[in-house]
Amino acid sequence: MKKYDETSPESIESYGKGMIGKTFREIFDAAKDDPDGFVAKDACADYLRKHAQKSRKGGVGNLVEECWFGYEANSDDRPDFPEAGVELKVTPYKQVRKTQLNPEGFAAKERLVLTMINYMEVVKEKDFAHSHLWEKAQLMLLVWYLHLQGRNDIDSTVDYVQLFTPPAEDLEIIREDYEKILTKIRDGRAHELSEGDTLYLGACTKAAKSTDRRQQPYSDILAKPRAFSLKNKYMTYVLNHYIRPGRVTYEPAVRGKVSDFEAYIIETIGRHRGESMEELRKRYGIETHPKNLGAMLAYRMLGIKGNHCAEFEKAGIAIKSIRIQENGCIKENMSFPPISYQKLAKETWEDCTFGNYLRETRFFFVVYREDRAGALRLAGCCFWNVPVRDLEGDIRAVWQETHDIIADGRLVLDIDAKGNVTNNLPKKHGHPIAHVRPHGRNRADTAPLPEGTYLAVRGNTAAWLDDTAYTKQCFWLNNDYIRHQLQLSGM
DNA sequence: GCATGATCATGC
DNA sequence: GCATGATCATGC
C-alpha cells in the first residue's frame, strides 16, 4: 500500500515534503525497519554495502526512490511517477562565496541531467512539445540537500522538496536551446556539441569512460555520449529564486515574447552602433570610469538599471568588452579567474575548473573600435563560445603543461641580476590560442603551491619569495585569437 | 612592436 | 580582502 496517490503530483509532493529535515541515513534506517515491508529489502542491503564504502553518484537519488517512495530505481525511459507525469530529481547545492546579490552564498552543485540524447532517435522527434526531453522535464519534484566537502552525502539533510516546472519565459529559451542542439545533430555535427552552445538547456557529456563514443545519424564521425541537462547556472537561479523564499529577482532583458533571444539582444544593442563609450557613459549618468563600464553600458542599452540581467544570470553568460585599436588589433589579451595551484594539481582536463568554465560559459562580446580621434565607438556585439577543436587543441595543451609543471613540482623561476623574473609556464610564444601570465595585485600577491612541492629559483633570490607559494597567475586567451574569432562571427 | 611580467582602480 | 577588468613597463 503506497503512502501517497501515485496519480497526483500534489500528493507526491506533499508526501515528499515529509523528508524535509531528515538525513538520507535516517530515511534509510526508517525504511529498513518498516514492518509493512514498504521497501524492497534487497535494495536496502545494497545501499548499506555501497554507502559503507564511499558515496556513489546517484546514490542518494536511488535511496529516496526506494526507501521513501517505495519503488524500485530503474533506468526506465518513462518519468519516475508515470501516472502523475512527475520526474524525481534529488540534487545537491553548496556553499559558495557570499556576495551582495547572493548574501547567503548558495549555488547548485551540479547541472541537472534530464535524459540521454539518443542521436539516432532524437532527430525523429516532431518538436520540443512532443520530445522525450519534455516528457521528463515538464514536471519535476526537486529534492535539494546541502553537500559539504568531505562528508558523505548520506548524512546530508533534505532541505527543500518542491514541484517545479520551468516558467513560461524560461521555456521559450529552453525550446530555442533544444532546437539549436537538434540543428547541430541534423547538420552532422554532434561531435562538435558543447554546453556553451546554448543558454539554459545544455548537451553535457555523460560517459562512463572518456573514450566512449556514439553513432550519429548524419555523419560517420563518432560523438561523445551526451545528455540534455539544465545547466549549473540555471539550477543556481532556480534554487535562489524559485525554491528558496524571499530572494530578489534580477531584471529581465526581454519583456514579452521574442522568437530568438540572442538575435533580440544583438539587435537591441546594435541600435547604438557608432556611439562612443563616453557618450553612452554620460547618457546613462555613470559618473566614474569603472572597470566594468563595458558591461554596465550593455545592461543600460538593454534597458536594465542594475548590473545583472536575469537571462544572462540563468545562462551563465559572461559579458566581455573588447577594444579594437585603429590598426585592427585587440589591445589586450583576455583574462580569467586566478589559478588555484592546489586545486589545479588535483584536477584532470576532463573535469577541471578552467576547462569546465570554458565548456559551460557562453560569452557575450561587446566590441568597441577606436576611431581616428581615439574615441571608442560601439562596433557591434556577438555571442560566442569556445569551439571544441580549440578547446581540445591548444587550450588543452596549455592547461596540461601548466598542470604538469605545478603538480610535479617543476615550477622554476629565473631571476637575473636586475631582479627580472621569468618562469617556465606556457607562454604566448608557441601557443596560438592561450597562455599563462600573472594576474594579481602585484607579484607579492601569491597563492599556495601544492603541499610537498616547492618553487625552484635559479640565479638571485628576492625578498618576496616564499618557496611554498607563487605569484597568482591565470589562463589568458590570446588577443589575436579573439580577433580571429570575431572575424569568423562576421564582425 | 610585441611578449612577458607587473601593477592599478574599482566594486562586490 | 579579493576578483575583475584594464593598463603599464621593460627588454628583446
Side-chain angles (χ1 to χ4, degrees), chain A residues 116 205-214 225:
Chain A
M116 284 302 293
T205 56
K206 194 155 178 22
K209 298 196 307 287
S210 60
T211 53
D212 285 355
R213 292 292 184 274
R214 294 279 168 86

Side-chain angles (χ1 to χ4, degrees), chain A residues 77-210:
Chain A
D77 249 8
R78 298 199 307 161
D80 295 317
F81 301 94
E83 290 166 83
V86 172
E87 179 75 7
L88 177 70
K89 291 291 179 194
V90 182
T91 192
Y93 66 101
K94 63 179 180 179
Q95 185 82 57
V96 294
R97 203 165 55 95
K98 294 176 185 177
T99 63
Q100 209 167 33
L101 287 149
N102 188 356
E104 284 156 297
F106 290 126
K109 180 170 174 279
E110 295 163 8
R111 54 178 77 77
L112 190 74
V113 174
L114 300 170
T115 183
M116 284 302 293
I117 307 176
N118 182 332
Y119 299 124
M120 307 304 284
E121 295 299 320
V122 78
V123 292
K124 298 176 188 162
E125 289 178 352
K126 186 168 157 243
D127 56 20
F128 176 73
H130 297 85
S131 66
H132 178 55
L133 165 67
W134 181 231
E135 194 191 351
K136 293 278 238 185
Q138 59 183 312
L139 191 56
M140 294 176 276
L141 184 68
L142 298 181
V143 177
W144 296 85
Y145 65 93
L146 182 65
H147 168 81
L148 288 186
Q149 201 176 357
R151 184 178 73 178
N152 191 322
D153 284 346
I154 201 169
D155 291 313
S156 290
T157 308
V158 174
D159 294 329
Y160 308 100
V161 177
Q162 199 172 304
L163 283 172
F164 176 73
T165 298
E169 66 270 25
D170 295 0
L171 262 184
E172 289 301 316
I173 289 182
I174 289 170
R175 190 195 317 272
E176 285 177 35
D177 288 339
Y178 170 86
E179 292 300 338
K180 206 175 282 181
I181 292 167
L182 263 284
T183 299
K184 219 163 182 176
I185 300 171
R186 291 198 180 103
D187 288 349
R189 298 196 295 135
H191 55 289
E192 291 177 14
L193 281 170
S194 161
E195 262 191 289
D197 289 346
T198 46
L199 300 172
Y200 303 170
L201 181 74
C204 69
T205 56
K206 194 155 178 22
K209 298 196 307 287
S210 60

Side-chain angles (χ1 to χ4, degrees), chain A residues 316-327:
Chain A
I317 294 171
I319 302 184
K320 295 274 185 187
S321 64
I322 294 174
R323 296 159 181 237
I324 298 179
Q325 300 174 104
E326 216 199 327
N327 65 11

